[in-house]
Every structure is written in C-alpha cells, then in structure tokens.
C-alpha cells in the first residue's frame, strides 16, 4: 500500500519549534502591513492541522484552489 505523500510546506511548518514559529510571526508583522496577509493565515491554519488537507484551507476561504499553489510557494519562500 502506498504511503500518503506529505506536503513539503506542511512538513516544514511542523518541524519548526514554538519559538521559531513565534519569530516568524514577529518577522512578518514587523511593519504592520502584513497583519491580514493570506500567507500568514495559511501559516496559522497549517500549524493547527494534524494532517494536511487542502479542502480545509479552501473551505475556510483562505485561498481558492487556483491560488493555493502560488500562496504556498510564497509562504515557503518567506519561511526558508
């Protein structure tokens, strides 16, 4: 039976320590203009998940299915 493939962004976010997650949020909010940024909402939502599910993200209206891959790429670059 095939193993479930994990999303690289999900694995990266889950590998961060609590202090690293806090530092990332402080870094993003440093100018105050990114408070409602979609990539920050995506970060918070993925952090809450125990198992990656794109449908949850789409249902919460964080991103549309067409925008999700670009949003994930942007968030990955911000973290990395």
């Amino acid at each position: 039976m095939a193993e479930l493939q994990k999303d690289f962004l999900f694995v990266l976010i889950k590998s961060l320590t609590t202090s690293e997650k806090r530092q990332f949020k402080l870094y993003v909010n440093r100018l105050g203009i990114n408070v409602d940024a979609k990539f920050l909402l995506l970060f918070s939502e993925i952090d809450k998940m125990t198992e990656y599910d794109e449908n949850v993200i789409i249902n919460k209206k964080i991103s549309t299915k067409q925008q999700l891959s670009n949003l994930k790429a942007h968030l990955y670059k911000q973290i990395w």
Side-chain angles (χ1 to χ4, degrees):
M1 195 174 227
E3 277 188 44
L4 292 173
Q5 287 188 343
K6 297 227 176 189
D7 187 80
F8 290 117
L9 182 61
F10 178 77
V11 173
L12 176 62
I13 291 173
K14 289 300 182 178
S15 70
L16 295 174
T17 64
T18 305
S19 63
E20 289 171 331
K21 291 175 186 176
R22 181 180 176 277
Q23 288 298 321
F24 174 71
K25 288 179 182 178
L26 290 173
Y27 168 74
V28 169
N29 290 323
R30 70 193 177 280
L31 297 177
I33 58 174
N34 290 327
V35 174
D36 293 328
K38 286 186 175 186
F39 72 91
L40 187 55
L41 295 173
L42 179 63
F43 178 84
S44 297
E45 191 58 41
I46 291 176
D47 188 32
K48 293 176 191 174
M49 292 181 178
T50 56
E51 187 174 306
Y52 182 73
D53 187 6
E54 284 186 356
N55 292 327
V56 172
I57 296 166
I58 294 168
N59 289 340
K60 290 199 175 189
K61 308 271 191 240
I62 294 172
S63 175
T64 63
K65 188 159 182 78
Q66 294 81 14
Q67 295 174 333
L68 187 57
S69 63
N70 288 336
L71 186 59
K72 286 172 36 180
H74 180 67
L75 176 56
Y76 190 86
K77 288 178 186 176
Q78 290 293 318
I79 295 172
W80 196 251

